[in-house]
Amino acid sequence: MPPPTTDCLRADARRNRDQIMDAAARAFADVGSDVPMDEIARRAGVGVGTLYRRFADRESLVVAVVRSSLDALLQKIRAAAEDEPRAWGALVQSMSFSHELRLTLPRTADLPPALAAAVRADAGTARLRAELTELVERLVAAAQQEGSLRADVGPGDVTHLFALVYRSAPTRAEDPDDIVTSRALAVILDGLTTGGNTDLPGRPLETGDLRG
Amino acid sequence: MPPPTTDCLRADARRNRDQIMDAAARAFADVGSDVPMDEIARRAGVGVGTLYRRFADRESLVVAVVRSSLDALLQKIRAAAEDEPRAWGALVQSMSFSHELRLTLPRTADLPPALAAAVRADAGTARLRAELTELVERLVAAAQQEGSLRADVGPGDVTHLFALVYRSAPTRAEDPDDIVTSRALAVILDGLTTGGNTDLPGRPLETGDLRG
Amino acid sequence: MPPPTTDCLRADARRNRDQIMDAAARAFADVGSDVPMDEIARRAGVGVGTLYRRFADRESLVVAVVRSSLDALLQKIRAAAEDEPRAWGALVQSMSFSHELRLTLPRTADLPPALAAAVRADAGTARLRAELTELVERLVAAAQQEGSLRADVGPGDVTHLFALVYRSAPTRAEDPDDIVTSRALAVILDGLTTGGNTDLPGRPLETGDLRG
Amino acid sequence: MPPPTTDCLRADARRNRDQIMDAAARAFADVGSDVPMDEIARRAGVGVGTLYRRFADRESLVVAVVRSSLDALLQKIRAAAEDEPRAWGALVQSMSFSHELRLTLPRTADLPPALAAAVRADAGTARLRAELTELVERLVAAAQQEGSLRADVGPGDVTHLFALVYRSAPTRAEDPDDIVTSRALAVILDGLTTGGNTDLPGRPLETGDLRG
DNA sequence: GATGAATGAGTGTTCATTCAT
DNA sequence: AATGAATGAACACTCATTCAT
């Protein structure tokens, strides 16, 4: 018997886990976060027992799915930050990712309060959120430096607008081009551009201002 | 606050019904749309039986609450349209209402698919939505006429952006000033202003473009 | 205010009570003895409150309906006993009454055990049953005296056979002629005639043997 | 006692199912067809969940119990038809079975209308009823051929009388000898014998005449 | 490890009964 | 006295979770 490797499950167990998370994400999108565990198992093609071997309870499963979504998002933004020469371009591309990612991610923001709290309490999710925050802060500063992003907004403002667009994107592949979201995004980006803007109330928001 | 509609209910029954809908709206916001009916009844200070006398099942209750939210919203926008001399002002004020209304309204867009379908199937809700649509179309046309709203957006675009802000407003009175939402709204309004804007993809959206 | 007469309710109250019992009997037949009290009230054209003023609970109502059925039956048999010159004729006519009565009577024998027990515990019903018993005993003795009823049966046997036919008669007016029941009855009466019969097991049954 | 049909159920699940049906039959007899599902489960020594895994709802359970009763009856009559040299003997024995079977069968005829309708709608029950009909028709014809059964009755008459006796047999083991039923049966059989009978109204009934 | 049968707590809903109007 | 609104206990049924195979 091979010693249990620290981080990685055996290949098949890993595959199993991924299958379940995929099925769960789709089921959450189709039915809601209260979809029966049995149905998730069925969609994943495993028995409920197996599902429970991988995830202690529904909460754990939801948290894992959210974590995985956040992770994917983070990777994408990281890549954009590296590829794009200008910070503004990276921001634009990042916000467009929501568009691209929307099909595989559940509306994790639309969780019933109890599950939302569980997600907030999760350390892994917190860490990802911190990395995301740091990244956005860096991009925002750089974009303002280069004069493309209006100066009176802070990373908190950008993140919040980002979340708005992200949450509104449909989770089903009904309209693959999703022109509605694209246009909304373009209007918002226009509003974030420097030049000729009206005054915003209050002061530029930090990321920490968001869960006020 | 709601004008005493001459609906066929005795005064006390009417009050009772309003109490229940209030309690339900709060409970949906606090716990989620799957909050136990017993808890809604407890919050409303009535027995479950009374709740079920007024609303045949959870679905009916949810639909009634959504309907009432939409109705309140419609009243507000109507009033704004009459008070404000400029269409642009009416639009701005309308979008700000989300801020004001958010405390009494459930996040009706965050319903599990089954309930969302029930709401869509409801005739009363459909009628309100139609009136809302008509109103927005009128305001959008007028605002473009007066040169305050960029010409390359349609009522569908405006409605979608409106919904974005509306949905993101917190339902609890955690931050009474909600500077986060106010600033996001200001940015979006900036993006909707005429002058110096980038091209939007596609064509101006009609309201009918929204749900495919 | 007239003093409450001992036995009779005021004419309108009386009518009220009869309406309710009629509606109840029909409802029991249509839906079962577990039909909601509200529906009985509705069918009777009164409020539930009125129903409960007349009958303390469902049990009382069922008992009253059964009592009334038994009473009607007793009257009929009494009349037959007086009209018919021969006891046999009275018995035949009595058994046929079930046929005639079936449309207005619930299948009181098909009560769930708890209600059946309540009926058995009711003194009024017991008294009617006693009178019925006495009457049947007299008719049986007389019919055997006149040589028309086989000698090896007792009043218990006759009553039981009577109950068999009675219970099997349909309660709805589906087949007004109910040839099925008529023929069954005729066969049974043939079996009760003197002459050429096979031996019956045991001894002639008294009425008291029935609820052995 | 039921031969192990090769139905696709694991041995323990099969046993489980039988336990539940047994418990249900007894509970229906003791309490009525409206006995709480929880009590049936308790009597069967399983959790409610298990009960619901086997039977989708009360209706399914009732239908299954009725089906099983009919099946047992059919087996018995089949055996009698094979063992008895004379058709008359087979009929006599068949009618006596009600006596023997009564303890395990619910009064299926005493179902509230809604459940009765469900039973009538069940295909399995219909098939059993058809087989039973065919068998009775054959026995009746044979008995008339051999001159033991009066010629002016049809299979419908015999079945109806059979049902009468059957329904009247007590479901509890109060009187193990049930002399009351035995004697009633004997009288009825006497009425069905050839010779010296009065005229029956109408014409011999087919089985199809029974439920209009 | 995987499976899916069993469990029973939790919830939606109904309806008998009470009681304010 | 009549009404029907209110109440909450009771019951049907679901589903998260456990565990024997």
Side-chain angles (χ1 to χ4, degrees):
Chain A
M1 211 181 296
T5 53
T6 329
D7 199 9
C8 297
L9 298 163
R10 276 178 5 210
D12 62 339
R14 176 91 208 154
R15 195 164 0 98
N16 217 303
R17 197 185 141 95
D18 289 347
Q19 263 173 52
I20 292 173
M21 284 182 48
D22 265 24
R26 285 174 214 284
F28 290 152
D30 287 350
V31 187
S33 64
D34 59 346
V35 60
M37 296 294 265
D38 279 20
E39 175 159 352
I40 297 174
R42 195 173 45 64
R43 285 177 181 230
V46 301
V48 248
T50 305
L51 193 164
Y52 274 93
R53 163 170 301 275
R54 301 282 172 238
F55 303 94
D57 50 22
R58 171 187 301 278
E59 209 173 275
S60 308
L61 179 55
V62 167
V63 166
V65 170
V66 172
R67 199 141 65 176
S68 144
S69 302
L70 263 187
D71 197 35
L73 194 56
L74 184 57
Q75 308 299 339
K76 283 281 193 176
I77 299 184
R78 278 229 173 85
E82 284 174 14
D83 291 357
E84 286 282 332
R86 304 184 64 222
W88 176 255
L91 280 177
V92 170
Q93 210 181 315
S94 295
M95 293 188 86
S96 307
F97 288 152
S98 63
H99 190 169
E100 185 178 339
L101 288 170
R102 70 177 194 274
L103 293 178
T104 55
L105 301 179
R107 296 176 184 267
T108 52
D110 301 350
L111 256 13
L115 285 178
V119 169
R120 274 196 295 278
D122 176 58
T125 303
R127 186 166 39 71
L128 288 169
R129 220 171 8 233
E131 294 184 44
L132 211 42
T133 295
E134 191 185 19
L135 193 49
V136 169
E137 283 169 353
R138 195 147 50 76
L139 288 175
V140 163
Q144 286 172 331
Q145 199 73 36
E146 72 194 22
S148 50
L149 177 66
R150 62 194 286 178
D152 57 353
V153 297
D157 292 302
V158 172
T159 299
H160 185 235
L161 285 164
F162 182 107
L164 248 55
V165 176
Y166 187 64
R167 285 183 56 191
S168 80
T171 54
R172 307 309 318 278
E174 290 149 0
D175 173 11
D177 288 331
D178 194 16
I179 197 69
V180 177
T181 299
S182 301
R183 290 173 59 84
L185 179 55
V187 167
I188 290 174
L189 288 170
D190 257 13
L192 285 173
T193 307
T194 47
N197 304 305
T198 58
D199 284 346
L200 302 185
R203 52 166 180 71
L205 299 181
E206 299 305 312
T207 317
D209 292 327
L210 285 187
R211 202 167 299 279
Chain B
M1 193 152 300
T5 51
T6 332
D7 284 339
C8 47
L9 232 40
R10 272 177 16 202
D12 60 341
R14 174 94 206 153
R15 194 164 358 99
N16 220 304
R17 196 187 142 96
D18 289 346
Q19 265 175 55
I20 292 173
M21 284 185 46
D22 267 22
R26 284 174 215 284
F28 290 152
D30 288 349
V31 187
S33 64
D34 59 346
V35 59
M37 296 294 267
D38 281 21
E39 174 159 353
I40 297 175
R42 197 172 45 63
R43 285 178 180 228
V46 301
V48 244
T50 304
L51 195 165
Y52 274 95
R53 165 180 289 273
R54 302 284 170 229
F55 302 95
D57 49 22
R58 171 187 301 281
E59 207 172 280
S60 309
L61 179 55
V62 168
V63 166
V65 170
V66 171
R67 199 140 67 173
S68 143
S69 301
L70 263 187
D71 196 35
L73 194 56
L74 184 57
Q75 309 297 340
K76 285 279 192 176
I77 299 184
R78 279 230 172 84
E82 284 174 13
D83 291 357
E84 288 282 332
R86 305 184 63 221
W88 175 255
L91 281 176
V92 170
Q93 208 182 316
S94 296
M95 293 188 84
S96 308
F97 288 149
S98 63
H99 189 172
E100 184 180 340
L101 288 171
R102 69 177 194 275
L103 294 179
T104 55
L105 300 178
R107 298 176 183 269
T108 53
D110 300 350
L111 256 16
L115 286 177
V119 169
R120 273 197 295 279
D122 176 59
T125 302
R127 187 168 37 73
L128 288 169
R129 227 176 355 239
E131 294 184 43
L132 212 41
T133 294
E134 191 185 19
L135 194 48
V136 169
E137 282 170 354
R138 194 148 49 76
L139 288 174
V140 163
Q144 287 172 331
Q145 198 75 34
E146 74 194 21
S148 48
L149 177 66
R150 61 194 287 177
D152 58 352
V153 297
D157 293 301
V158 172
T159 299
H160 185 235
L161 285 164
F162 183 107
L164 246 56
V165 176
Y166 188 64
R167 284 184 58 190
S168 78
T171 54
R172 305 311 317 277
E174 290 150 0
D175 174 10
D177 287 331
D178 194 17
I179 197 69
V180 177
T181 299
S182 300
R183 290 175 59 84
L185 179 56
V187 168
I188 291 174
L189 288 169
D190 259 11
L192 285 172
T193 307
T194 47
N197 304 305
T198 59
D199 283 348
L200 302 185
R203 52 166 180 71
L205 299 180
E206 299 305 313
T207 317
D209 293 326
L210 286 187
R211 203 169 283 278
Chain C
M1 211 183 296
T5 53
T6 332
D7 199 9
C8 296
L9 300 162
R10 275 176 8 206
D12 61 338
R14 176 94 207 153
R15 195 163 0 97
N16 218 301
R17 197 185 141 97
D18 288 348
Q19 266 174 51
I20 293 173
M21 284 183 47
D22 264 25
R26 283 174 215 284
F28 289 151
D30 287 351
V31 186
S33 64
D34 58 347
V35 60
M37 296 295 266
D38 278 21
E39 175 160 353
I40 297 174
R42 197 173 44 66
R43 286 177 180 229
V46 301
V48 249
T50 306
L51 194 164
Y52 274 91
R53 164 172 298 277
R54 301 282 172 238
F55 302 94
D57 50 21
R58 172 189 300 279
E59 208 173 278
S60 308
L61 179 54
V62 168
V63 166
V65 170
V66 172
R67 199 141 67 176
S68 145
S69 301
L70 262 187
D71 197 35
L73 193 57
L74 184 57
Q75 308 300 339
K76 283 281 191 176
I77 299 184
R78 277 229 173 87
E82 283 173 15
D83 291 356
E84 285 284 331
R86 302 185 65 221
W88 176 254
L91 280 177
V92 170
Q93 211 184 312
S94 297
M95 293 188 86
S96 307
F97 288 151
S98 61
H99 192 169
E100 184 180 340
L101 288 171
R102 69 178 194 273
L103 293 178
T104 54
L105 300 179
R107 297 175 183 268
T108 53
D110 301 349
L111 257 15
L115 285 177
V119 170
R120 273 197 295 279
D122 175 58
T125 303
R127 185 166 38 71
L128 288 169
R129 220 171 9 233
E131 294 183 45
L132 211 43
T133 296
E134 191 184 19
L135 192 51
V136 170
E137 282 169 353
R138 195 146 50 74
L139 287 175
V140 163
Q144 286 173 329
Q145 200 73 35
E146 73 194 21
S148 50
L149 177 67
R150 61 194 288 177
D152 56 354
V153 298
D157 293 301
V158 171
T159 299
H160 185 235
L161 285 164
F162 182 107
L164 246 56
V165 176
Y166 187 65
R167 285 184 55 190
S168 79
T171 54
R172 308 307 318 277
E174 292 149 0
D175 173 12
D177 287 332
D178 194 16
I179 198 70
V180 177
T181 299
S182 301
R183 290 173 59 84
L185 179 56
V187 168
I188 290 173
L189 289 170
D190 258 14
L192 286 172
T193 308
T194 47
N197 304 306
T198 59
D199 284 346
L200 302 184
R203 52 166 180 70
L205 299 180
E206 300 303 315
T207 317
D209 292 327
L210 285 187
R211 202 166 298 278
Chain D
M1 192 153 303
T5 50
T6 331
D7 285 341
C8 47
L9 234 40
R10 272 176 18 200
D12 60 339
R14 175 95 206 151
R15 195 166 355 100
N16 220 304
R17 196 187 142 96
D18 288 346
Q19 265 175 55
I20 292 173
M21 285 185 46
D22 268 23
R26 283 174 217 284
F28 290 151
D30 288 351
V31 186
S33 63
D34 59 346
V35 59
M37 295 295 266
D38 281 20
E39 175 160 351
I40 296 175
R42 197 173 42 65
R43 285 179 181 226
V46 302
V48 245
T50 304
L51 194 164
Y52 276 95
R53 165 179 289 273
R54 301 285 170 230
F55 302 94
D57 51 20
R58 174 187 301 280
E59 206 172 280
S60 308
L61 179 54
V62 167
V63 166
V65 169
V66 171
R67 199 140 68 172
S68 144
S69 300
L70 262 187
D71 197 34
L73 192 57
L74 184 58
Q75 308 297 339
K76 284 280 192 176
I77 299 185
R78 278 229 172 86
E82 283 173 13
D83 291 355
E84 287 283 330
R86 306 184 63 220
W88 176 255
L91 281 177
V92 170
Q93 209 183 314
S94 296
M95 294 189 85
S96 307
F97 288 150
S98 62
H99 189 170
E100 185 180 338
L101 289 171
R102 70 177 192 274
L103 294 178
T104 54
L105 301 179
R107 296 173 184 268
T108 53
D110 301 350
L111 256 16
L115 286 177
V119 169
R120 274 197 295 280
D122 175 58
T125 303
R127 187 167 38 71
L128 288 169
R129 226 176 356 240
E131 295 184 43
L132 212 41
T133 295
E134 190 185 22
L135 193 49
V136 169
E137 282 169 354
R138 194 146 51 74
L139 288 176
V140 163
Q144 286 172 330
Q145 198 75 35
E146 73 194 19
S148 49
L149 177 66
R150 62 194 288 177
D152 57 352
V153 297
D157 294 301
V158 171
T159 297
H160 185 236
L161 286 164
F162 182 108
L164 248 56
V165 176
Y166 187 64
R167 283 182 58 190
S168 79
T171 53
R172 307 307 319 276
E174 291 150 0
D175 174 9
D177 287 332
D178 194 17
I179 197 70
V180 177
T181 299
S182 300
R183 290 173 60 82
L185 179 57
V187 168
I188 290 173
L189 288 170
D190 257 13
L192 285 171
T193 307
T194 48
N197 304 306
T198 58
D199 284 347
L200 302 184
R203 53 167 181 70
L205 299 180
E206 299 305 312
T207 317
D209 293 326
L210 285 187
R211 202 170 282 277

